[in-house]
Amino acid sequence: MAEQVLDRIKQVVGPNGWLEEPRDIEPYEVETRGLYHGKTALVVRPGSTEEVATVVRLCAEAGLPIVPQGGNTGLCGGGVPDEDGRNIVLALGRMNKVRSIDPANFTITVEAGVILADIQRIAAEHDRLFPLSLGAEGSCQIGGNLSTNAGGVQVLRYGNTRELTLGLEVVLPDGRIWNGLRTLRKDNTGYDLKQLFVGAEGTLGIITAATLRLYPKPRATATAFVALPDTDAVMSLFAQARAATGDQLTAFELIPRIGLEMAMKHVNGVVDPLEQPYETYALIEVSTASPHGDVGATLEGLLAEAFEAGTVVDGTIAASGAQRDAFWLIREGMVEGQRFEGGSIKHDIAVPVASVAEFLKTATAAVTERLPGIRPVAFGHCGDGNIHFNLSQPAGADKDTFLARWEEFNDIVHGIVAGLNGSISAEHGIGRLKCQELTHYKAPIELELMARVKQALDPKHIMNPGKVVAEAAFNALKGE
Amino acid sequence: MAEQVLDRIKQVVGPNGWLEEPRDIEPYEVETRGLYHGKTALVVRPGSTEEVATVVRLCAEAGLPIVPQGGNTGLCGGGVPDEDGRNIVLALGRMNKVRSIDPANFTITVEAGVILADIQRIAAEHDRLFPLSLGAEGSCQIGGNLSTNAGGVQVLRYGNTRELTLGLEVVLPDGRIWNGLRTLRKDNTGYDLKQLFVGAEGTLGIITAATLRLYPKPRATATAFVALPDTDAVMSLFAQARAATGDQLTAFELIPRIGLEMAMKHVNGVVDPLEQPYETYALIEVSTASPHGDVGATLEGLLAEAFEAGTVVDGTIAASGAQRDAFWLIREGMVEGQRFEGGSIKHDIAVPVASVAEFLKTATAAVTERLPGIRPVAFGHCGDGNIHFNLSQPAGADKDTFLARWEEFNDIVHGIVAGLNGSISAEHGIGRLKCQELTHYKAPIELELMARVKQALDPKHIMNPGKVVAEAAFNALKGE
């Protein structure tokens, strides 16, 4: 029976639309960091929304579960199949057309398989900015960005992917197509259905296209690397920065001394921009599309105020594009540098912006108490309250022994996050990796509401089963 | 039975928590423009979330429908009971506490019954801006703003109410309390449940409190009143304005000559700021929280560019606060002035920003063809594509005869809006007024998805029945 369905699916998508040789399908089965190695009977690569719809309808009729997949760059295993081999992988990569761009309307409509960097480039060619920007942008696909509500380095100014989304086209779990490709800024005609699918990681339907917001292209950028007296100063400096720049901040990134040192030690070209060492730094960037604004003067004004107020003790403004790149190389080199320092236990957490300093102090003390010598490298999108709290092993310790304590340290750190009303997944999503853990941190009523929404839209549970909503969440609905 | 339930509800909320005398409850039964005069057996005014929860649980058990009501300033009848007298009105006005304000976190947490203007004032006292601003702000309540996803005059810069919302506390249709009062900028832990309740007009639960975003308080504002060569220039000028001001535009309002004339004729103090008459004007405002930016120079730079490009043919920048007020008086006087020109058939539509000029031309031609002498006064939040396309009767015509053609002209205008992929309710919502009409303009699959969500969260349909989701939408679910 399943064989027959697979044959029909192959006919629908044609010879270029499917893969089943082990060597061809393996890249679709493996999670990018090697966390999971799943199994699929068939990788389907439809070329159009209609093909997606037909494939989903056939799978729904036969009860075959579907795992939608974009660029397979996700960090929580949301896009890979499980090990039982029944999941069909539906990869969107062939749906890579830009359907339209309308610079006067500040919108672009793209299919799910378009690479993020291509959207940025095409927007720029039309004197527009598509602001979503993140490490994987050269290979991740916008459908995946939408499904995980991706964050990245410009959220502070432009919001997450959710805020960049005006409309969606979605294939529903029964194979029908919902065309919600609106280009409106305002539309209060009932429930805002697109919000259901953004960030749902393919568990409620398959996003096949989206209409996205564009912005005026920045004309000038100014970047500073500053030293703070201590982490307590972070939130005051952030508030000053928002006011002084008229909310034209595009980045406010935290960098700890240990991160700078790891970057300098292991990554070519990284240098300390300041003459003396300090414990805590921030990378601050301001940009404007206005030819009339002077972002350099604005940033100088901010630093003068901050020195006066004692929220900054040292700092320098990039005098050239090369110097700006050098500042950002520290930010990127910090991630790279950690790899050479042994095992690293990672966290992608968010707390209220005002609680960043408290989180850093409490979490650092707690993990150090549990394991003296552990080296927290806490960095990231501090202006969003989003800290990548990565724990490098003690120097000289055994890597595997350290990594075996991953869950133990997750528990410590996520417990502190929960106490501060924070989030255990700020921008990476839940996928399979945090699906069970989420049941400990989310209130039962919230898990139940999620299950109700899932049940309402995908009653057969064929869309990406085992991701986001844990089976246990459906218990509350039994017997209804 | 219903009597007994009402008695128990009265006990729960205590003597200050309910009204049943006809003269006391009448204000809660009447829609603000007199469109509907409903009937209720009891107005409940709970003083706490727990009281709301108990009242809802009692109503759910007894099958009594509930109409949540804020300041009762809505324009679509979403907050008033129907005529059968079974609906309980649950008014949130006594829940008017600011639970906390955290300037460093740029957040405020308020109960549903807090008046919008009070939130603005309290934010300002803490050197912060709460940007939601609209005509009814002196009496509307934030719970109503949230439930209708209110728009207003600063959406261009800060977004609708949805974008200003970080977290919600909601009493669900079975009386349980969901505490989702997060203060996070980033949280990708499953479905974003708050999105369900914002804009749902109380049909999925009762919002009892919210955590809202604050912004740095603006330090400087610059305002221009400009004449355009024609409506075709609107979108080019808007794109120029976004770029030239670095997206620090707070208003971009369309004003037609006829609106200015009606304002001058009927409202004291309104004068034409320009020496010659023109057909089309825009009111443009730029503001910044930065002490380092010069918004006056920015606006001058924009106008110089626009003159050069021919998108502006005349204009003036306010030289004082008084002059700025005079410009805004035109915008407000235009609404006031229409009242003295006989009947007015109103529309609150949105089209893609790039289609504003096309909409104006097509719709003006269509209504004029149907009724020569009709006077379209098309104005509004042009930067959001949101036009209040109000049709004043031909001079000297009979008012009642004209107003009797309300639906006829709605059909013409909304048909054009639909052809441009627009919205028949940009910022006022659906409520009861547009509930049936919506079934003509929304795709069946969308109506069905709305019904599915409603069914999942409020299976007994006790929350604000007959609003937003028409009964017909549930047909698709029958037999499941």
Side-chain angles (χ1 to χ4, degrees):
Chain A
M1 150 79 176
E3 262 324 302
Q4 287 179 340
V5 179
L6 297 187
D7 284 344
R8 289 185 63 193
I9 289 173
K10 290 176 189 172
Q11 283 166 17
V12 168
V13 294
N16 296 321
W18 55 273
L19 303 166
E20 63 179 358
E21 289 298 316
R23 68 166 181 279
D24 293 333
I25 62 176
E26 208 208 343
Y28 297 86
E29 295 175 328
V30 187
E31 193 272 343
T32 172
R33 291 190 292 195
L35 282 176
Y36 305 111
H37 193 148
K39 244 180 93 185
T40 181
L42 187 69
V43 172
V44 195
R45 303 177 71 243
S48 69
T49 303
E50 290 68 28
E51 286 184 13
V52 174
T54 309
V55 170
V56 172
R57 186 173 51 75
L58 290 170
C59 288
E61 285 167 7
L64 288 182
I66 301 167
V67 182
Q69 190 177 98
N72 197 13
T73 62
L75 296 172
C76 295
V80 290
D82 64 21
E83 288 78 11
D84 81 0
R86 286 188 71 240
N87 291 208
I88 304 291
V89 171
L90 195 153
L92 280 301
R94 281 179 70 219
M95 289 192 58
N96 58 0
K97 282 191 278 299
V98 173
R99 291 200 188 156
S100 63
I101 179 164
D102 188 345
N105 199 42
F106 292 87
T107 51
I108 188 168
T109 299
V110 295
E111 293 184 343
V114 181
I115 303 285
L116 174 53
D118 288 336
I119 305 179
Q120 297 167 348
R121 179 180 49 75
I122 290 158
E125 287 167 7
H126 290 80
D127 198 33
R128 293 291 177 261
L129 171 75
F130 182 61
L132 185 64
S133 176
L134 43 88
E137 64 195 26
S139 58
C140 65
Q141 296 170 11
I142 191 68
N145 301 142
L146 288 156
S147 292
T148 54
N149 185 28
V153 293
Q154 300 199 90
V155 172
L156 194 54
R157 173 79 164 273
Y158 300 101
N160 287 302
T161 305
R162 184 181 298 281
E163 280 83 45
L164 302 175
T165 308
L166 291 174
L168 293 180
E169 179 188 81
V170 177
V171 172
L172 299 176
D174 59 7
R176 290 182 298 167
I177 300 167
W178 170 49
N179 182 345
L181 289 174
R182 311 275 159 70
T183 62
L184 303 172
R185 257 66 185 178
K186 280 181 165 183
D187 181 20
N188 276 351
T189 54
Y191 307 155
D192 192 2
L193 298 170
K194 66 177 179 289
Q195 307 292 350
L196 290 167
F197 302 101
V198 175
E201 303 186 38
T203 60
L204 298 177
I206 302 177
I207 296 172
T208 49
T211 299
L212 304 165
R213 285 179 194 262
L214 301 177
Y215 289 81
K217 190 155 83 172
R219 297 265 169 277
T221 300
T223 312
F225 186 85
V226 301
L228 283 66
D230 49 46
T231 50
D232 280 335
V234 165
M235 49 189 165
S236 310
L237 178 60
F238 177 62
Q240 283 176 315
R242 288 193 68 174
T245 64
D247 256 344
Q248 301 221 329
L249 273 180
T250 42
F252 191 93
E253 298 278 319
L254 180 74
I255 295 175
R257 178 73 200 173
I258 188 174
L260 172 57
E261 283 174 357
M262 287 181 179
M264 286 196 291
K265 189 168 162 196
H266 300 292
V267 180
N268 255 346
V270 174
V271 289
D272 184 346
L274 305 179
E275 286 180 13
Q276 293 173 43
Y278 300 91
E279 276 311 297
T280 306
Y281 305 96
L283 179 62
I284 303 175
E285 193 158 279
V286 185
S287 70
T288 182
S290 173
H292 311 295
D294 182 346
V295 284
T298 300
L299 196 53
E300 280 168 30
L302 164 63
L303 295 200
E305 271 174 45
F307 271 110
E308 180 88 20
T311 49
V312 157
V313 290
D314 199 354
T316 176
I317 294 177
S320 65
Q323 220 170 14
R324 176 183 176 244
D325 293 345
F327 292 174
W328 278 102
L329 187 61
I330 297 170
R331 168 69 177 79
E332 291 147 23
M334 194 167 38
V335 180
E336 182 70 11
Q338 284 172 68
R339 296 193 195 166
F340 299 91
E341 295 284 339
S344 170
I345 296 174
K346 296 179 193 302
H347 304 88
D348 166 40
I349 67 97
V351 293
V353 176
S355 303
V356 166
E358 188 181 346
F359 166 76
L360 291 172
K361 276 190 287 192
T362 312
T364 301
V367 299
T368 307
E369 191 191 333
R370 182 64 62 96
L371 181 61
I374 198 170
R375 293 172 297 167
V377 186
F379 67 97
H381 319 302
C382 184
D384 307 309
N386 179 192
I387 303 294
H388 297 301
F389 192 71
N390 291 351
L391 305 173
S392 280
Q393 65 176 59
D398 180 66
K399 182 176 173 178
D400 291 338
T401 310
F402 178 71
L403 288 180
R405 300 178 72 175
W406 191 293
E407 284 185 24
E408 177 189 348
F409 281 99
N410 276 188
D411 286 349
I412 295 173
V413 173
H414 291 166
I416 292 165
V417 166
L420 292 168
N421 296 312
S423 169
I424 65 164
S425 186
E427 58 176 12
H428 296 164
I430 296 300
R432 180 173 165 185
L433 181 65
K434 297 183 181 175
C435 186
Q436 282 309 318
E437 190 182 8
L438 191 63
T439 62
H440 302 297
Y441 289 105
K442 249 190 164 46
I445 200 169
E446 245 167 37
L447 295 168
E448 180 192 321
L449 284 170
M450 284 170 54
R452 272 183 202 284
V453 170
K454 169 80 174 172
Q455 187 75 29
L457 269 73
D458 180 21
K460 292 182 177 174
H461 295 209
I462 70 155
M463 293 306 311
N464 216 2
K467 316 287 167 63
V468 186
V469 191
E471 267 311 310
F474 295 97
N475 290 342
L477 279 58
K478 294 230 167 92
E480 282 188 1
Chain B
M1 151 78 177
E3 264 321 306
Q4 286 180 339
V5 178
L6 297 187
D7 283 344
R8 287 185 64 190
I9 289 173
K10 290 176 190 173
Q11 284 166 15
V12 168
V13 293
N16 296 320
W18 55 274
L19 302 166
E20 64 178 358
E21 288 300 315
R23 67 166 183 280
D24 293 334
I25 64 177
E26 209 208 343
Y28 297 87
E29 295 175 329
V30 187
E31 194 270 342
T32 171
R33 291 189 293 195
L35 283 175
Y36 305 111
H37 192 149
K39 243 179 93 185
T40 182
L42 188 70
V43 172
V44 195
R45 303 176 71 243
S48 69
T49 304
E50 289 68 28
E51 286 184 12
V52 174
T54 308
V55 170
V56 172
R57 186 172 51 74
L58 290 170
C59 288
E61 286 167 5
L64 287 183
I66 301 168
V67 182
Q69 189 178 97
N72 197 12
T73 62
L75 297 171
C76 295
V80 290
D82 64 21
E83 289 78 10
D84 80 2
R86 286 188 71 239
N87 290 209
I88 304 291
V89 171
L90 195 154
L92 279 301
R94 282 179 68 219
M95 288 192 59
N96 60 358
K97 281 190 278 300
V98 174
R99 291 200 188 157
S100 63
I101 179 165
D102 187 346
N105 199 42
F106 292 86
T107 52
I108 188 168
T109 299
V110 296
E111 292 184 343
V114 181
I115 303 285
L116 174 53
D118 288 335
I119 305 179
Q120 297 167 348
R121 180 180 48 76
I122 290 160
E125 287 167 6
H126 289 80
D127 198 33
R128 294 290 178 262
L129 170 75
F130 182 61
L132 185 64
S133 176
L134 43 88
E137 63 195 25
S139 58
C140 65
Q141 296 169 12
I142 191 68
N145 301 142
L146 288 156
S147 293
T148 55
N149 185 27
V153 292
Q154 300 200 90
V155 172
L156 194 54
R157 173 80 165 273
Y158 301 100
N160 287 303
T161 306
R162 185 182 298 281
E163 280 83 44
L164 303 175
T165 307
L166 291 175
L168 294 179
E169 179 188 82
V170 178
V171 172
L172 300 176
D174 59 7
R176 289 182 299 168
I177 300 166
W178 170 48
N179 182 345
L181 289 174
R182 311 275 158 71
T183 61
L184 303 172
R185 259 64 187 179
K186 282 181 164 182
D187 180 21
N188 276 351
T189 54
Y191 306 156
D192 192 2
L193 298 171
K194 67 176 178 289
Q195 307 291 351
L196 291 167
F197 303 100
V198 176
E201 304 187 37
T203 60
L204 299 176
I206 302 177
I207 295 172
T208 48
T211 299
L212 305 165
R213 284 179 195 262
L214 300 177
Y215 289 82
K217 190 155 83 173
R219 298 263 170 277
T221 301
T223 312
F225 186 86
V226 302
L228 282 67
D230 49 45
T231 50
D232 280 335
V234 166
M235 49 191 166
S236 311
L237 178 60
F238 177 61
Q240 283 175 315
R242 289 193 65 174
T245 64
D247 256 345
Q248 301 221 329
L249 274 180
T250 42
F252 191 92
E253 298 279 318
L254 180 74
I255 295 175
R257 179 72 198 171
I258 188 174
L260 172 57
E261 283 174 357
M262 287 180 179
M264 286 195 291
K265 190 168 161 196
H266 301 291
V267 179
N268 256 346
V270 174
V271 290
D272 184 346
L274 305 179
E275 285 179 16
Q276 293 174 44
Y278 301 92
E279 277 310 297
T280 305
Y281 305 96
L283 179 61
I284 303 175
E285 194 159 278
V286 185
S287 69
T288 182
S290 173
H292 311 294
D294 182 345
V295 283
T298 300
L299 195 54
E300 279 167 32
L302 164 63
L303 294 201
E305 271 175 43
F307 271 110
E308 181 89 19
T311 49
V312 157
V313 289
D314 199 353
T316 176
I317 293 178
S320 64
Q323 222 169 14
R324 175 185 177 241
D325 293 345
F327 292 175
W328 278 102
L329 187 62
I330 298 170
R331 169 68 177 78
E332 291 146 24
M334 194 167 39
V335 180
E336 182 69 11
Q338 283 173 68
R339 296 193 195 166
F340 299 91
E341 296 283 339
S344 170
I345 296 176
K346 297 179 191 301
H347 304 87
D348 165 40
I349 67 95
V351 292
V353 175
S355 302
V356 166
E358 188 181 346
F359 166 77
L360 291 172
K361 277 191 287 193
T362 313
T364 300
V367 298
T368 307
E369 192 191 334
R370 182 65 61 94
L371 180 61
I374 198 169
R375 294 171 296 167
V377 186
F379 68 97
H381 319 302
C382 184
D384 309 310
N386 178 192
I387 302 294
H388 297 300
F389 192 71
N390 292 351
L391 306 173
S392 281
Q393 65 175 59
D398 179 66
K399 182 176 173 178
D400 290 338
T401 311
F402 177 71
L403 289 181
R405 300 177 73 175
W406 191 294
E407 284 185 23
E408 178 189 348
F409 282 98
N410 275 187
D411 285 351
I412 297 172
V413 173
H414 290 166
I416 293 166
V417 166
L420 293 168
N421 296 311
S423 168
I424 65 163
S425 187
E427 56 176 12
H428 296 164
I430 296 301
R432 181 173 165 185
L433 183 65
K434 298 182 180 175
C435 187
Q436 282 308 316
E437 190 183 7
L438 190 64
T439 62
H440 301 298
Y441 290 104
K442 251 193 163 43
I445 200 169
E446 248 169 34
L447 295 167
E448 179 192 321
L449 284 170
M450 282 170 56
R452 269 182 204 286
V453 170
K454 169 80 175 171
Q455 187 74 31
L457 269 72
D458 179 22
K460 293 182 177 172
H461 296 209
I462 68 153
M463 293 306 312
N464 216 3
K467 316 289 168 61
V468 186
V469 192
E471 267 311 310
F474 296 96
N475 290 341
L477 280 58
K478 293 230 168 94
E480 280 186 2

